[in-house]
Amino acid sequence: MLIHHPLLGPRDASEFVYKGDAALIHRPDWQSEDAQAQFADYGYLRDNPAGPLRELWFHEQGDRSWLVVTRDTTSHEITSVELASDVARREARAT
Amino acid sequence: MTGVNRLDGGLIDRTKPMRFTFDGIGFTGFEGDTLASALLANDVRLMGRSFKYHRPRGPMTSGSEEPNALVALRSGARKEPNTRATTAELFAGLSATSQNRWPSLRWDAMAVNDRLSQFFAAGFYYKTFMWPAAFWEKVYEPIIRRAAGLGTLSHEPDPDSYDKGFLHCDLLVIGTGPSGLMAALTAARAGADVIIADEDFLPGGRLSAETHMIEGQSGAAWAAASVAELQALPNVRVMTRSTVIGAFDHGIYGVVERVSDHLKEPFAGKPRQILWRVYSKRAILAAGATERPIVFENNDRPGIMLASAVRAYVNRWAVTPARQVAIFTNNDDGHRTARDLAAKGVDVTAVIDTRLDAPTSADYQVIAGGVVVQTWGRLGLTQIEVRTPKGESLRIPCGALGVSGGWNPNVHLTCHQGARPVWNDTIAAFVPGNSLPPGLIPTGAADGAFSTYEALSSGQKAAHVALSDLGIPHKVSDLPEAEDAPVNITPFWHVASAKRAWVDQQNDVTAKDVQLAHQENFVSVEHLKRYTTLGMATDQGKTSNTAGLAIMADIAGKSIPEVGTTMFRPPYTPTAIGVLAGRARDEDFRPIRKTPSHVWAEEQGAVFVEVGMWLRAQWFPKPGETHWRQSVDREVLQTRKSVGICDVTTLGKIDVQGTDAAAFLNKVYCNGFAQLPVGRTRYGLMLREDAIAMDDGTAARLAEDHFVVTTTTANAVPVYRHMEFVRQCLFPDMDVQLISTTEAWAQFAVAGPKSRALLQQIIDPPFDISNDAFPFMACAEITVTGGLRARLFRISFSGELAFEIAVPTRYGDALMRRMMDVGAGFDVVAYGTEALSVMRIEKGHAAGNELNGTTTALNLGMGRMVSKKKDAIGSTLSEREGLTEGDALKLVGLKPVDPDHNVPAGAHLMTKGATVSAANDQGYVTSACFSPNLGCHIGLAYLKSGDSRMGEIIRLVSPLTGVDHDVEVVSAHFVDPKGERLRA
């Protein structure tokens, strides 16, 4: 697979380490009422779409940036690649 | 001498004769021959024995789809079983042997299976060999295993090497037939970067096997001229002997190039085969088509082949498989073979065409509407019986029968990403469907366009599409003249009255097996395949799948497309595991990492251990020591008595800098770091988000905004990855930067009562490391040996007064030697990982064994370290009920009641008096060693409510290894429990 790194251009997927669903960016607020339940959902529940999925990839053999890759799980087509820190800032929730 | 079956012409080089042997007998062939063509030239039709029934078999094809003629090529360490004689390029000195027969090919004892065929129908092993039950393991399975399989391995290490390479191109053309060559010429002339690959050693595809003309010259000559033009262009790479084995994601193709399989031995220093990853922007599948046979009674005798294969042997290799040849066909293409044979003077004894309106000929008899109903000639075809539409029975003599049931486009690569082909009624075959791997365009016969002109035209068109996609300007040029015959086929798949008729010849699957599958309700095409094993052999059903589907469709009353196909997956043809491994084998399987003191340790004769990719000194044997315990006990005792040095460079080091550095560490560690003073180090426990302990280490604060974090050796990479995840994905607005410095600093533990004294010999005067100035857990940036910058940490894994000293890596070797030198005066000893482990177990320090992926801070006895005042990874879920139950596991120490007993790691703990069972399990041993300081074995263990069971005698059991003795629950801190030595 090829991942088009926003700064470095197309790189082979073997330069990366895969983590999982980019929903991990939305970490719950530890001080909310039902924090335990929210953290349990955050840790254990995942959607499993047959279609586009936003995923986290780490460019371990490159610039060590985390990327949010939108990839179709059935066709493997990648439609978007962004720096995870950009996505995290944009979709910020309480720190 | 040159072979009784040789004809004139052909594309072989008669000026280069080559001697070779088959089953010990010598023959002569020519350059350009395959092993099969050379053997056929010498009137050898018998080349193998079938898998189950050990029936005599000869080549059915002339290509990589061959099911029968599998031989062992070469001998000794280079012996390669299951080599297709039809693709093995002949070389001088080639030696091959037949397989799956004993004692010989002509007299095979296992042929008795053919007489007992009713016991060996599809799935027989599910129904027989059941009783008595004990016999399965001892009798039946060993016999079946020995009987199964075709070839045997040499069992010697592979002496050859394999490489991996990377290629990039605008256009990858798969196949060098007319379609592929036309596509490549079109694209290359426009200036695109083109790679064209073919599995064959002679480019040209079917042009090499046919008598077609292209623009007035022979197809083979046109192919040669095209290849010459391509090879001369700087933007083209022509790869022969190169199979495109798979179509992977995003235009990436795998290509196996056989660099030297056609030579007696590889060129010195060169790889035998190369696995290329080709990164293409566009690709054209010009893989051609493969003919399929018709299924009839005893259709597997040596001499019965695909009609197109007979034609290839005649035209390309100048060989006729027999003096008298008949043809059995359901389409016009079978007649082509008869015409080409007749043109070379071979006796065509009959063309049996299942169609009543079959074309006639002046040169041979055509039996229209006839079917072949029987064959004779166990070791080689002698005659066939034909039933005419009138019901007559004709005996026709022939040593070879060319069978043509139509052609199957080679769609395989179009299916590698999950698409299925679609049925085309005009050619009665599957063609590529609409969902293709992105960027891949099928053309020519691979797309169901069978005439030479259609191949040229579609190849050119596909190249134009690709060039347009690539934005490369191009002109349309004229196409050369070539034949454009339409496909005339009336589907006829099998002779229904046949009793023993083969569908898959390699796995010995008959039409009756397909019927059996249907009878037992295995009607899905996926079940049909797995139950009968049809299409599961090394040829992957290339000449048998369609007939199998057709027969199933017939019985089930469905159409062929309704039955469907199974999925094609890479590799397209059998691929050596060696080429997939490349250079990653033996010591080179993965990189070796050496510590800065490695050379010095080797000089001392250290014994090394693999820790991940690292080599670490495990112990340093001294002359006279014959057992590792002698060395390890000595290193432990001497370190605790005077001073020991150990290389701890391998532990992860991460530099954390920025105004939010402390706040960041507060997120990744469950305990607090905001208040850690500059110049102090603190133990840190890192949890996973689910509160399971992930890693532990220390964080040293060198400045307000500068920490040095350590990790365990094994987790250096994952912890760094995790910390970057937290920084970039969770807290992107924190002002903090990270970098791994594991390899940047050489680091040594200097431990023992004399450690300070030793270090004072090398630490430069301005730096005071007395207990007052540099107490336990202090850290500082210093210089040593007259100005070399260093970092000093007063941390202790051993429990002794200890320091860790770090210098830039390139000085590590020199520092080790200097410290051992000045240490001589303090009775210094070098210690390895064994002694390191013994000492930390004696001290009760947790390590990887205790952080086993199931344990929490509470289990480690560090429950109170998880701060409730701040948010950290794992802190919220650490309060879950299930993790805080009253009888949670707690880390304890164990001492055997009888000092002669040991404490095996992994043993489980039972309350005295309780039955030994999983239900009564109280915990398990995580770490154990012999303690020279206590004079007995000790262990660390997790025990339910262990912290309130001190002094209890419990049972330590390991039922699998027969261990069962009493141990006492004690504090994990066996040595210096008050920590007085630490703080000295």
Side-chain angles (χ1 to χ4, degrees):
Chain A
M1 267 202 327
L2 292 177
I3 294 176
H4 286 250
H5 192 291
L7 305 174
L8 303 173
R11 314 299 307 182
D12 194 291
S14 61
E15 294 180 10
F16 298 80
V17 174
Y18 176 81
K19 184 175 179 67
D21 198 321
L24 285 170
I25 286 177
H26 301 283
R27 188 163 174 270
D29 175 4
W30 69 294
Q31 284 173 316
S32 46
E33 274 285 303
D34 58 342
Q36 260 205 35
Q38 283 190 38
F39 267 96
D41 284 357
Y42 170 78
Y44 295 107
L45 296 186
R46 293 282 177 273
D47 287 335
N48 190 20
L53 174 68
R54 292 203 318 170
E55 309 175 319
L56 286 165
W57 290 77
F58 180 55
H59 201 193
E60 190 156 275
Q61 305 290 332
D63 70 341
R64 303 186 308 280
S65 61
W66 278 94
L67 303 178
V68 171
V69 175
T70 306
R71 185 180 68 93
D72 188 304
T73 57
T74 59
S75 69
H76 297 185
E77 186 192 357
I78 292 177
T79 50
S80 120
V81 184
E82 300 178 88
L83 290 177
S85 49
D86 286 343
V87 177
R89 274 189 206 101
R90 201 173 61 226
E91 301 176 5
R93 75 281 127 239
T95 5
Chain B
M1 196 261 310
T2 56
V4 296
N5 286 333
R6 281 288 181 199
L7 306 168
D8 289 332
L11 302 172
I12 52 173
D13 188 347
R14 288 178 176 76
T15 70
K16 299 201 173 93
M18 294 165 160
R19 289 290 292 169
F20 68 97
T21 68
F22 179 60
D23 276 349
I25 302 174
F27 300 96
T28 302
F30 296 105
E31 184 177 279
D33 263 328
T34 60
L35 176 59
S37 67
L39 283 171
L40 288 171
N42 284 279
D43 205 24
V44 176
R45 284 174 301 171
L46 177 61
M47 294 185 201
R49 286 276 176 165
S50 73
F51 177 56
K52 245 197 305 196
Y53 303 119
H54 288 254
R55 287 169 68 89
R57 293 279 172 81
M60 190 220 259
T61 73
S62 60
S64 65
E65 63 274 12
E66 176 58 30
N68 289 335
L70 304 187
V71 303
L73 193 65
R74 302 191 200 86
S75 56
R78 290 204 166 93
K79 171 180 158 194
E80 189 164 30
N82 300 345
T83 304
R84 289 148 296 191
T86 51
T87 57
E89 235 177 299
L90 196 70
F91 54 86
L94 181 152
S95 116
T97 51
S98 58
Q99 302 179 147
N100 200 38
R101 81 294 182 273
W102 180 84
S104 78
L105 196 48
R106 292 187 82 83
W107 304 102
D108 182 10
M110 289 297 279
V112 64
N113 286 3
D114 201 22
R115 313 267 172 139
L116 306 171
S117 58
Q118 65 261 47
F119 296 115
F120 292 121
F124 72 90
Y125 31 81
Y126 302 123
K127 300 165 186 164
T128 55
F129 305 113
M130 296 285 168
W131 178 90
F135 266 45
W136 174 255
E137 205 178 309
K138 301 245 167 50
V139 180
Y140 301 138
E141 200 205 341
I143 292 177
I144 293 173
R145 271 196 189 279
R146 262 203 303 276
L150 288 168
T152 57
L153 295 171
S154 71
H155 292 283
E156 293 179 54
D158 187 344
D160 294 327
S161 61
Y162 304 79
D163 271 337
K164 295 198 178 168
F166 300 83
L167 296 172
H168 299 255
C169 62
D170 290 326
L171 180 67
L172 171 66
V173 179
I174 302 162
T176 58
S179 193
L181 286 174
M182 197 67 226
L185 285 169
T186 307
R189 287 167 181 161
D193 280 331
V194 176
I195 295 175
I196 179 167
D198 198 298
E199 59 178 359
D200 205 332
F201 53 94
L202 181 70
R206 276 308 291 182
L207 294 176
S208 308
E210 307 285 5
T211 50
H212 299 317
M213 303 293 280
I214 297 183
E215 199 73 30
Q217 55 180 331
S218 74
W222 179 88
S226 303
V227 171
E229 180 183 338
L230 288 168
Q231 276 171 333
L233 287 170
N235 52 320
V236 180
R237 186 185 188 110
V238 178
M239 299 175 73
T240 56
R241 301 186 179 95
S242 300
T243 307
V244 180
I245 54 164
F248 302 101
D249 288 315
H250 304 171
I252 300 175
Y253 291 81
V255 182
V256 173
E257 180 186 357
R258 287 174 295 285
V259 178
S260 58
D261 282 345
H262 61 291
L263 305 171
K264 193 131 202 273
E265 271 177 27
F267 302 107
K270 298 276 188 185
R272 177 192 159 206
Q273 295 178 358
I274 301 175
L275 176 65
W276 296 100
R277 278 171 86 89
V278 177
Y279 296 84
S280 74
K281 297 193 178 120
R282 286 292 180 275
I284 288 177
L285 183 66
T290 301
E291 197 174 34
R292 64 212 178 194
I294 301 170
V295 174
F296 53 94
E297 187 80 30
N298 283 320
N299 59 330
D300 67 327
R301 302 201 188 280
I304 301 179
M305 306 182 180
L306 294 172
S308 61
V310 174
R311 205 150 79 230
Y313 286 118
V314 167
N315 293 325
R316 174 172 168 180
W317 286 292
V319 172
T320 183
R323 298 275 113 205
Q324 293 180 304
V325 184
I327 304 290
F328 182 27
T329 182
N330 66 358
N331 66 90
D332 280 359
D333 203 61
H335 291 254
R336 223 190 269 284
T337 302
R339 289 199 292 277
D340 287 354
L341 281 164
K344 294 260 180 152
V346 179
D347 183 11
V348 178
T349 50
V351 172
I352 301 105
D353 192 320
T354 57
R355 302 170 295 172
L356 284 165
D357 59 347
T360 55
S361 167
D363 298 320
Y364 43 80
Q365 70 162 326
V366 174
I367 304 171
V371 289
V372 176
V373 293
Q374 188 54 272
T375 73
W376 285 269
R378 192 164 164 74
L379 296 178
L381 187 67
T382 53
Q383 66 173 328
I384 60 176
E385 179 180 333
V386 176
R387 193 176 62 226
T388 69
K390 292 207 194 92
E392 295 169 308
S393 226
L394 303 172
R395 296 279 175 103
I396 306 217
C398 54
L401 177 68
V403 184
S404 179
W407 288 78
N408 290 330
N410 290 331
V411 303
H412 309 71
L413 261 61
T414 65
C415 304
H416 282 178
Q417 291 175 27
R420 308 248 178 196
V422 297
W423 185 253
N424 179 308
D425 272 322
T426 313
I427 60 172
F430 285 100
V431 296
N434 293 323
S435 165
L436 296 166
L440 179 65
I441 310 168
T443 64
D447 200 30
F450 287 161
S451 77
T452 311
Y453 186 78
E454 278 183 303
L456 295 167
S457 146
S458 63
Q460 185 191 63
K461 207 182 329 193
H464 287 156
V465 170
L467 289 167
S468 299
D469 286 348
L470 293 163
I472 297 175
H474 50 278
K475 311 191 294 265
V476 181
S477 39
D478 289 331
L479 287 165
E481 274 182 17
E483 65 84 27
D484 196 10
V487 173
N488 273 327
I489 180 172
T490 304
F492 186 96
W493 306 100
H494 66 124
V495 179
S497 58
K499 292 196 181 52
R500 293 197 79 204
W502 270 262
V503 181
D504 181 330
Q505 293 200 15
Q506 191 169 140
N507 266 355
D508 258 346
V509 179
T510 60
K512 213 152 131 217
D513 290 326
V514 178
Q515 282 156 13
L516 186 65
H518 177 262
Q519 192 180 308
E520 305 202 355
N521 207 26
F522 291 106
V523 291
S524 148
V525 65
E526 305 286 355
H527 285 153
L528 167 64
K529 173 180 177 177
R530 275 80 183 186
Y531 187 66
T532 62
T533 75
L534 185 157
M536 293 179 71
T538 66
D539 63 329
Q540 288 288 285
K542 289 189 173 81
T543 54
S544 53
N545 282 335
T546 330
L549 298 180
I551 295 172
M552 178 56 88
D554 228 5
I555 309 170
K558 295 189 193 166
S559 69
I560 291 176
E562 278 174 321
V563 176
T565 62
T566 54
M567 187 57 65
F568 296 114
R569 297 188 175 89
Y572 176 68
T573 46
T575 300
I577 290 183
V579 77
L580 297 172
R583 298 279 177 173
R585 48 181 285 194
D586 305 318
E587 303 87 34
D588 295 332
F589 176 66
R590 52 183 183 178
I592 295 175
R593 309 179 77 182
K594 296 181 180 175
T595 64
S597 66
H598 185 91
V599 172
W600 177 85
E602 268 186 326
E603 290 166 12
Q604 310 312 308
V607 172
F608 291 93
V609 65
E610 287 178 19
V611 183
M613 289 190 271
W614 293 100
L615 284 179
R616 298 188 73 180
Q618 205 175 6
W619 61 82
F620 295 83
K622 290 256 183 276
E625 287 175 348
T626 51
H627 189 276
W628 61 270
R629 271 277 311 279
Q630 295 173 302
S631 315
V632 174
D633 288 358
R634 170 181 52 75
E635 289 171 18
V636 170
L637 289 170
Q638 198 168 336
T639 301
R640 290 208 188 281
K641 183 154 176 268
S642 47
V643 56
I645 303 181
C646 180
D647 192 322
V648 296
T649 305
T650 63
L651 279 78
K653 307 176 207 54
I654 299 167
D655 231 64
V656 182
Q657 300 189 19
T659 53
D660 290 327
F664 176 76
L665 291 186
N666 261 359
K667 290 291 186 185
V668 296
Y669 285 124
C670 67
N671 53 323
F673 281 82
Q675 308 304 323
L676 182 66
V678 173
R680 285 291 179 273
T681 313
R682 179 170 294 163
Y683 176 79
L685 180 64
M686 229 179 254
L687 304 179
R688 296 188 328 209
E689 197 71 86
D690 65 354
I692 298 297
M694 187 173 85
D695 198 58
D696 70 346
T698 59
R701 192 170 205 165
L702 296 181
E704 267 309 304
D705 60 355
H706 185 192
F707 289 79
V708 175
V709 162
T710 69
T711 79
T712 60
T713 299
N715 284 333
V717 169
V719 166
Y720 179 76
R721 191 186 303 149
H722 168 72
M723 286 173 69
E724 285 287 13
F725 164 74
V726 174
R727 181 178 80 89
Q728 296 178 40
C729 301
L730 300 184
F731 306 109
D733 289 326
M734 277 197 182
D735 175 29
V736 62
Q737 306 298 323
L738 310 173
I739 190 141
S740 164
T741 55
T742 309
E743 294 83 16
W745 295 90
Q747 191 147 331
F748 302 93
V750 183
K754 301 274 173 57
S755 56
R756 179 183 288 117
L758 188 158
L759 285 171
Q760 278 165 337
Q761 302 298 308
I762 60 161
I763 289 175
D764 293 337
F767 302 102
D768 183 356
I769 60 166
S770 65
N771 201 16
D772 290 328
F774 204 72
F776 179 54
M777 299 306 270
C779 65
E781 293 182 285
I782 61 170
T783 68
V784 300
T785 65
L788 173 62
R789 66 191 170 110
R791 289 171 172 176
L792 189 68
F793 310 89
R794 191 165 154 192
I795 52 181
S796 174
F797 199 41
S798 57
E800 294 303 310
L801 163 66
F803 302 78
E804 286 192 15
I805 178 162
V807 293
T809 307
R810 62 195 178 283
Y811 294 100
D813 174 87
L815 180 67
M816 184 67 186
R817 292 176 194 274
R818 177 67 66 90
M819 289 196 294
M820 289 302 292
D821 202 33
V822 305
F826 300 101
D827 224 9
V828 72
V829 66
Y831 68 93
T833 54
E834 282 300 312
L836 176 102
S837 300
V838 169
M839 286 192 283
R840 72 99 187 160
I841 293 172
E842 286 179 334
K843 187 62 195 172
H845 276 148
N849 297 15
E850 285 70 43
L851 273 55
N852 61 24
T854 67
T855 55
T856 62
L858 186 71
N859 301 137
L860 285 161
M862 298 177 193
R864 281 198 211 111
M865 240 166 72
V866 184
S867 167
K868 296 201 202 301
K869 288 189 276 188
K870 63 159 173 104
D871 172 41
I873 306 291
S875 48
T876 302
L877 289 182
S878 69
E879 291 170 28
R880 288 184 285 169
E881 266 176 48
L883 294 178
T884 50
E885 276 160 345
D887 66 342
L889 295 171
K890 297 282 168 63
L891 190 63
V892 298
L894 297 176
K895 250 171 69 167
V897 167
D898 178 341
D900 289 333
H901 282 152
N902 68 351
V903 183
H908 279 255
L909 303 168
M910 299 284 154
T911 314
K912 281 208 71 113
T915 328
V916 175
S917 74
N920 292 335
D921 193 17
Q922 297 292 296
Y924 55 93
V925 179
T926 53
S927 303
C929 66
F930 178 81
S931 163
N933 286 289
L934 274 70
C936 67
H937 284 86
I938 57 173
L940 299 176
Y942 284 113
L943 177 66
K944 281 188 177 171
S945 307
D947 50 347
S948 46
R949 295 168 77 169
M950 291 294 136
E952 180 179 332
I953 309 293
I954 55 174
R955 227 167 131 194
L956 178 142
V957 300
S958 172
L960 268 180
T961 52
V963 172
D964 187 353
H965 51 243
D966 290 345
V967 291
E968 182 189 351
V969 179
V970 298
S971 157
H973 311 296
F974 297 88
V975 166
D976 188 35
K978 292 211 189 85
E980 285 157 339
R981 302 163 81 106
L982 270 180
R983 295 178 163 75

